[in-house]
Amino acid sequence: MTKVILPPQTIGIIGGGQLGQMLALSAKSMGYHVGILDPTPNSPAGQVSDFQMLAAYYDQAALIEFAKQVDVLTYEFENVDLAALKAATQFTELPQGTELLRLTRNRLVEKNNLRSLGIPTVNFIEISATTIAEQPQAIAQCLPGILKTTTGGYDGHGQCDVNTLEDIKAAAELYQAAPAILEKRISFEKEISVMVTIDGQGTVHIWPVVENIHANHILQTTIAPANVSDAVTGKVHQIAQTLAQAFELRGVLGIEMFVTANGEVLVNELAPRPHNSGHYSIEAVNVSQFEGHIRSIAGLPIAALTLQQPALMHNLLGDQLVQARTQLSHHPEWHFHDYGKAEIRPSRKLGHYTVLGNTNINQNLTWLAENKE
């Protein structure tokens, strides 16, 4: 049973980006104090929190000092130094632990763990100079595919499409320092995801299954609920239940999946934190993924989850945020979120908006198609 942390105790969030910001806003609305550890001055999360410690995520001394100032720790992204995080747990609560972080921060470890739990995935294989020399036939079984670094890559970084063994050899920079993973590229009908958590009373809660539309490996739009069969929804729920219980989950877990033409559900990636595809839940679900995360790590119960209206969430990347600001007066249906990041860069997630109800969803899908860059 997770220790109960009640307001106005202090929640410490490692990471100051938009996920940390939305976690902080949820925690503040419940009466908690919030501290942020992030190396960027005036980070998005720091802007809405009680204090921010400026420090690198691998600075063990700073992390320990931060831990001493908070009653419970959580993180908003995976690239936290595990040794520093373990050291900090001597001084405060970390309900999520470090094992799930270890399993999900390395794609190869993550895929092998999923396989050990009987969770279906695409075919995959480790890629290194040794496997290229010794296992060319096994590698061929995963081609055409996507070659990815096992750690650090996100939003299309650290990966490339490959069709032949020669393509893999030409992308040696992805596996020179450490083994990479090759995942077979498959034909699928939909990309979907789901958020899951276990609350302080041990009850598993699963948010609605949503459909995701990507471009250049970056999430563009999420539609809730996903237009999938009851059979697919049942498979997703079984996967979420299995993972939540296997990990003794605290905090939310995002599960990204593919749905094939024959209704097979394959897990692509896990995120041991709130996920971009769960942003719609702020307006559309009675308990958002962020409130659910806070309640879970604080040892509190969570009400049965209800999708109150269908929803569409659209990411605003780079200059899209600037353009959306100019359009805001024409879109009263937008629930507009600007993360307050200081620098606008291409493909950087700078904000999002959500619309509710089928009429608004259809109108915005039409508008997005007409204004596609």
Side-chain angles (χ1 to χ4, degrees), residues 196-371:
V196 61
T197 193
I198 297 179
D199 69 16
Q201 296 181 339
T203 302
V204 176
H205 296 271
I206 302 172
W207 276 262
V209 181
V210 300
E211 180 176 351
N212 299 317
I213 301 168
H214 290 79
N216 301 318
H217 302 290
I218 303 175
L219 178 63
Q220 300 288 305
T221 304
T222 294
I223 299 172
N227 182 19
V228 294
S229 67
D230 290 345
V232 166
T233 299
K235 291 176 183 178
V236 171
H237 282 199
Q238 184 57 57
I239 288 169
Q241 187 92 19
T242 297
L243 291 175
Q245 292 175 336
F247 297 146
E248 298 180 351
L249 186 62
R250 285 297 182 268
V252 296
L253 173 72
I255 310 170
E256 296 182 80
M257 293 159 282
F258 301 121
V259 181
T260 67
N262 63 1
E264 189 178 9
V265 177
L266 305 174
V267 173
N268 181 33
E269 289 186 352
L270 304 179
R273 49 159 175 81
H275 190 262
N276 198 177
S277 67
H279 290 349
Y280 76 95
S281 64
I282 297 172
E283 288 85 19
V285 183
N286 61 318
V287 180
S288 75
Q289 66 165 342
F290 301 102
E291 182 182 349
H293 184 93
I294 295 299
R295 284 180 167 273
S296 177
I297 65 168
L300 298 176
I302 297 173
L305 300 176
T306 302
L307 180 66
Q308 297 171 320
Q309 288 192 68
L312 175 148
M313 185 283 300
H314 184 70
N315 268 332
L316 298 170
L317 311 176
D319 287 337
Q320 291 175 353
L321 175 68
V322 178
Q323 297 164 9
R325 286 169 176 165
T326 67
Q327 291 290 320
L328 192 54
S329 60
H330 303 292
H331 289 277
E333 79 280 9
W334 285 2
H335 295 271
F336 188 73
H337 297 259
D338 185 330
Y339 304 148
K341 294 184 178 180
E343 185 180 356
I344 293 176
R345 298 197 301 265
S347 299
R348 191 184 193 194
K349 293 171 182 170
L350 298 176
H352 74 270
Y353 68 79
T354 299
V355 299
L356 302 177
N358 289 321
T359 298
N360 286 329
I361 289 173
N362 291 332
Q363 288 176 349
N364 272 265
L365 285 172
T366 300
W367 185 83
L368 286 169
E370 291 174 347
N371 290 273

Side-chain angles (χ1 to χ4, degrees), residues 112-250:
N112 282 320
N113 182 254
L114 288 169
R115 181 175 284 176
S116 73
L117 293 171
I119 304 293
T121 71
V122 297
N123 198 16
F124 66 93
I125 190 171
E126 178 182 317
I127 295 295
S128 65
T130 300
T131 57
I132 289 172
E134 297 179 356
Q135 302 181 54
Q137 291 182 329
I139 290 172
Q141 297 300 310
C142 293
L143 290 172
I146 305 173
L147 183 65
K148 302 178 181 180
T149 56
T150 54
T151 61
Y154 65 98
D155 288 348
H157 301 286
Q159 61 182 262
C160 66
D161 293 336
V162 290
N163 297 306
T164 66
L165 191 60
E166 292 306 310
D167 290 342
I168 295 174
K169 292 176 180 178
E173 71 277 2
L174 294 181
Y175 56 86
Q176 280 176 334
I181 182 172
L182 175 65
E183 299 175 356
K184 186 171 180 62
R185 199 159 63 237
I186 64 166
S187 177
F188 56 85
E189 285 201 335
K190 294 180 187 294
E191 293 181 82
I192 62 172
S193 61
V194 75
M195 307 301 300
V196 61
T197 193
I198 297 179
D199 69 16
Q201 296 181 339
T203 302
V204 176
H205 296 271
I206 302 172
W207 276 262
V209 181
V210 300
E211 180 176 351
N212 299 317
I213 301 168
H214 290 79
N216 301 318
H217 302 290
I218 303 175
L219 178 63
Q220 300 288 305
T221 304
T222 294
I223 299 172
N227 182 19
V228 294
S229 67
D230 290 345
V232 166
T233 299
K235 291 176 183 178
V236 171
H237 282 199
Q238 184 57 57
I239 288 169
Q241 187 92 19
T242 297
L243 291 175
Q245 292 175 336
F247 297 146
E248 298 180 351
L249 186 62
R250 285 297 182 268

